[in-house]
Amino acid sequence: KQEVTQIPAALSVPEGENLVLNCSFTDSAIYNLQWFRQDPGKGLTSLLLIQSSQREQTSGRLNASLDKSSGRSTLYIAASQPGDSATYLCAVRQGNSGYALNFGKGTSLLVTP
Amino acid sequence: DADVTQTPRNRITKTGKRIMLECSQTKGHDRMYWYRQDPGLGLRLIYYSFDVKDINKGEISDGYSVSRQAQAKFSLSLESAIPNQTALYFCATSVGLAGVAGELFFGEGSRLTVL
């Protein structure tokens, strides 16, 4: 069974810092990996989707990388802002489970002014 | 208007009651999913549907049933609610691309409390 782990569970940084969130998965046979943002009590907002054939995706200040062979993905946030405070979730899609997503438990990020 | 709409957004009910959570989408996606989120456990898949005639159990389907009434509508039912079904429930959609599902889009969630 695919296990998805996110480290750290919580992170607090001052505004302006660059930061990296980590996601690891145990089964490298994935179709894609998706990063989400979740604000308290809200739904999940898709940030980036990386297909298994891709190494990275970028959107604005966000950059996500994928190393399928080592079972790792990182989400890089440049020049963090207080508005980036949220929980960040990664999820991997397997082919042998009906293409369902397996989620990590998230990293709770607080960016202080 | 949201692309993926869930109703109700909040519901408090009693043990043994039947509850239905509804999801509708305007994205035109063929695939729909129901997840639940619990503190410390993350999101877990309950059921998913790849089209109107295709329903599949997820990781934690016991105690739940679903109905795909149309491509745009996917409802989740708790036939006899119990307190450990208290959770935040999410509906999600995606488009299938040559057998590989694409990006997932989520609704705002339905918070269910079973007393």
Side-chain angles (χ1 to χ4, degrees), chain A residues 3-74:
Chain A
E3 298 289 339
V4 181
T5 303
Q6 291 187 246
I7 295 173
L11 181 63
S12 180
V13 301
E15 181 178 7
E17 275 203 6
N18 302 324
L19 59 100
V20 174
L21 306 180
N22 297 293
C23 173
S24 62
F25 45 95
T26 54
D27 185 347
S28 62
I30 65 170
Y31 276 102
N32 58 39
L33 183 146
Q34 195 167 353
W35 282 93
F36 295 89
R37 168 189 174 133
Q38 184 178 25
D39 294 287
K42 300 290 187 180
L44 281 70
T45 301
S46 178
L47 297 173
L48 290 163
L49 172 70
I50 310 177
Q51 300 295 346
S52 62
S53 59
Q54 298 175 319
R55 297 285 293 182
E56 65 178 327
Q57 283 285 336
T58 298
S59 177
R61 294 182 294 108
L62 305 179
N63 176 277
S65 68
L66 174 64
D67 184 343
K68 205 172 69 163
S69 61
S70 67
R72 297 197 309 183
S73 175
T74 61

Side-chain angles (χ1 to χ4, degrees), chain A residues 62-110:
Chain A
L62 305 179
N63 176 277
S65 68
L66 174 64
D67 184 343
K68 205 172 69 163
S69 61
S70 67
R72 297 197 309 183
S73 175
T74 61
L75 179 66
Y76 175 84
I77 303 177
S80 58
Q81 304 170 357
D84 295 330
S85 299
T87 296
Y88 291 81
L89 296 149
C90 76
V92 298
R93 185 181 299 282
Q94 302 293 134
N96 62 356
S97 63
Y99 308 104
L101 283 179
N102 290 292
F103 281 84
K105 295 179 181 179
T107 294
S108 178
L109 173 65
L110 176 65

